């Protein structure tokens, strides 16, 4: 059942190109230029009435929501807040009938996420669920359901569910943009064209797994490290850090690169690994200057950059190249090496990769 892989997690990492294709599937118009989301039953008027969006989820699904916020704000120009479900429920969120609440849950059974959904409905909001399980509690209670066709995810550490959630956000962001006409047809077509290229680009990253395995073996001898990045790179850094903690038990922290010097830089000492994401073109120079700050204090920097970019190598100790795509779509690529990093670090430490200590696949208690 592991199809020749040593662990479910590795199998699921390698299933991502298929999960992307299946999740996009029939939702891309045959003309290849727009998105068709028939499962979302909102009229143009209802979409036009949305004043704000709340994205609510836990763990990795929350991290997908961080990317979702950028996607919706950029494509549809609607303000978005993202909350961890266990916080959202108890903070008296301001929900009105013009609020669209998006809950994200692989299992569709997470107790706090389900409670947040109910709170949203009680306040008259429409709820869209992004879930991997057809017929789950979240799917049954939401007004609209966007299923991520990742297939069953067995490993406790979420991989293909996260990336399929990203794809769902891209599709939904485009769907809103089409209805609101916040993007012209050419812009939508360009994004769709790049979306279609993602699976093959993930395959290219997976072909370089051996290089990440070497990084992981170096990292696995440390007890502390940092992930840094800006913008969407920071969102992915947070997911990379969670994954590493969850299965390798190495403590790490994800930091917005520009925020380091407001305290965290004090923790940078000789030899500490820093995984730096410098994928976002428009923020590249800024991130490089933050990389130099940690290098100057002795950090060993592993840098992720876009292929064809030659500057980063001068400022870091090791580099890994991500195929080029639109900046907005880059999380669907840049997270893959981080998934592999945590997998191989866990393996190097002799941990039970698929069943990390203290954790359950589906958290149905508060
Ligand atoms: O099933 P859900 O997406 O609602 O689960 C949410 C989190 O419990 C889950 O993503 C958790 O953070 C993962 N184990 C992370 O890999």
């Amino acid at each position: 059942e592991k199809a020749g892989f040593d662990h479910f997690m590795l199998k699921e990492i390698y299933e991502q190109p298929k999960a992307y294709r299946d999740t996009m599937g029939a939702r891309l118009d045959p003309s290849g230029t727009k998105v068709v989301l028939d499962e979302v039953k909102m009229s143009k008027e209802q979409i036009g009435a949305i004043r704000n969006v709340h994205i609510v989820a836990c763990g990795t699904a929350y991290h997908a929501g961080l990317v979702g916020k950028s996607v919706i704000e950029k494509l549809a120009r609607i303000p978005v807040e993202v909350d961890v479900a266990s916080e959202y429920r108890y903070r008296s969120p301001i929900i009105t009938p013009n609020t669209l609440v998006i809950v994200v849950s692989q299992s569709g059974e997470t107790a706090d996420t389900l409670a947040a959904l109910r709170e949203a409905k009680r306040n008259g909001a429409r709820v869209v669920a992004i879930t991997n399980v057809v017929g789950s509690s979240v799917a049954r209670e939401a007004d609209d359901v966007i299923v991520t066709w990742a297939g069953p995810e067995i490993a406790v550490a979420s991989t293909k569910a996260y990336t399929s959630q990203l794809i769902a956000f891209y599709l939904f962001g485009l769907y809103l943009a089409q209805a609101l006409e916040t993007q012209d047809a050419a812009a939508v077509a360009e994004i769709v064209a790049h979306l279609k290229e993602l699976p093959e680009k993930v395959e290219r990253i997976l072909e370089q797994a051996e290089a990440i395995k070497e990084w992981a073996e170096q990292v696995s001898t440390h007890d502390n490290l940092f992930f840094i990045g800006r913008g969407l790179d920071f969102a992915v850094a947070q997911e990379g850090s969670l994954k590493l903690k969850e299965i390798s038990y190495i403590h790490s922290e994800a930091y917005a690169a520009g925020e380091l010097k407001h305290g965290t830089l004090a923790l940078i000492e000789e030899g500490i690994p820093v995984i730096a994401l410098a994928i976002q073109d428009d923020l590249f120079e800024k991130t490089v200057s933050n990389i130099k700050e940690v290098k100057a204090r002795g950090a060993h920097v592993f840098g992720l950059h876009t292929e064809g970019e030659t500057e980063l190598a001068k400022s870091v100790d090791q580099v890994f190249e991500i195929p080029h795509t639109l900046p907005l779509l880059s999380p669907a690529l840049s997270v893959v090496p981080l998934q592999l990093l945590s997998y191989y670090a866990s393996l190097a430490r002799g941990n039970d990769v698929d069943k990390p200590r203290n954790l359950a696949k589906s958290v149905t208690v508060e």
Side-chain angles (χ1 to χ4, degrees):
E1 55 189 12
K2 290 184 198 145
F5 288 94
D6 291 341
H7 298 94
F8 282 110
M9 183 184 178
L10 194 62
K11 171 175 176 270
E12 289 160 7
I13 289 172
Y14 276 80
E15 282 171 346
Q16 289 179 115
K18 179 176 181 337
Y20 288 31
R21 289 189 183 104
D22 291 349
T23 301
M24 287 183 233
R27 292 158 171 167
L28 297 182
D29 182 82
S31 68
T33 54
K34 58 178 193 201
V35 166
V36 187
L37 265 187
D38 288 337
E39 56 269 71
V40 181
K41 308 267 181 249
M42 273 186 265
S43 65
K44 263 194 168 212
E45 290 66 37
Q46 285 169 319
I47 296 173
I50 301 170
R51 289 290 158 265
N52 61 340
V53 173
H54 291 174
I55 300 175
V56 191
C58 302
T60 284
Y62 165 76
H63 292 149
L66 296 178
V67 177
K69 170 183 164 77
S70 290
V71 171
I72 293 172
E73 289 189 341
K74 185 167 173 41
L75 298 180
R77 306 305 295 160
I78 307 172
V80 182
E81 287 175 64
V82 195
D83 273 88
V84 164
S86 55
E87 290 294 316
Y88 185 79
R89 305 176 55 178
Y90 300 113
R91 75 163 172 91
S92 308
I94 301 170
I95 308 169
T96 75
N98 299 100
T99 305
L100 178 70
V101 176
I102 305 175
V103 294
V104 190
S105 176
Q106 187 283 129
S107 63
E109 302 298 343
T110 299
D112 283 316
T113 307
L114 190 57
L117 177 159
R118 290 177 180 156
E119 176 69 13
K121 295 217 72 173
R122 235 190 327 274
N123 286 279
R126 191 175 184 106
V127 177
V128 173
I130 296 177
T131 182
N132 199 36
V133 181
V134 179
S136 59
S137 302
V138 160
R140 285 199 311 273
E141 295 191 28
D143 296 291
D144 305 283
V145 183
I146 303 173
V147 175
T148 49
W149 296 109
E153 191 180 65
I154 311 292
V156 167
S158 181
T159 54
K160 63 177 182 171
Y162 168 82
T163 44
S164 304
Q165 287 157 3
L166 300 186
I167 301 294
F169 272 117
Y170 295 135
L171 296 172
F172 188 61
L174 287 169
Y175 167 85
L176 294 177
Q178 287 170 184
L180 295 169
E181 295 177 25
T182 44
Q183 303 293 319
D184 62 27
V188 171
E190 192 196 1
I191 298 170
V192 168
H194 279 90
L195 272 174
K196 284 200 219 148
E197 290 172 4
L198 289 176
E200 182 262 330
K201 290 176 179 172
V202 171
E203 277 155 11
R204 278 164 53 199
I205 294 171
L206 294 172
E207 282 163 15
Q208 300 172 66
E210 208 45 42
I212 296 294
K213 188 173 178 204
E214 280 171 31
W215 283 20
E217 281 159 7
Q218 295 178 53
V219 159
S220 69
T221 62
H222 291 262
D223 292 320
N224 274 299
L225 61 102
F226 285 92
F227 288 82
I228 61 170
R230 287 171 177 253
L232 286 171
D233 288 345
F234 175 45
V236 174
Q238 291 175 70
E239 172 56 8
S241 175
L242 171 64
K243 208 99 304 174
L244 188 73
K245 283 179 282 226
E246 181 175 25
I247 59 169
S248 76
Y249 317 148
I250 298 170
H251 181 251
S252 68
E253 202 170 338
Y255 238 75
E259 189 65 9
L260 280 176
K261 46 177 150 332
H262 298 284
T264 309
L265 208 49
L267 289 169
I268 302 296
E269 53 185 15
E270 196 58 39
I272 191 164
V274 173
I275 320 275
L277 286 86
I279 316 276
Q280 303 291 302
D281 291 346
D282 49 341
L283 299 167
F284 184 78
E285 299 299 329
K286 299 284 172 197
T287 305
V288 169
S289 75
N290 302 130
I291 290 171
K292 287 180 178 156
E293 290 163 1
V294 295
K295 267 305 290 170
R297 286 152 185 96
H300 183 95
V301 183
F302 297 87
L304 271 78
H305 68 156
T306 305
E307 69 188 356
E309 206 296 309
T310 52
E311 281 305 300
L312 191 69
K314 297 176 192 155
S315 318
V316 302
D317 297 281
Q318 284 161 275
V319 281
F320 186 85
E321 281 189 353
I322 307 288
H324 187 269
T325 186
L326 297 175
L328 197 61
L329 305 186
S330 66
L333 299 179
S334 57
V335 75
V336 177
L338 302 187
Q339 296 168 341
L340 289 166
L341 182 78
S342 59
Y343 172 78
Y344 286 116
S346 173
L347 206 62
R349 289 194 150 207
N351 297 347
D352 186 345
V353 176
D354 284 336
K355 288 200 178 61
R357 67 188 182 203
N358 309 341
L359 298 173
K361 180 65 184 162
S362 181
V363 183
T364 52
V365 292
E366 292 184 18

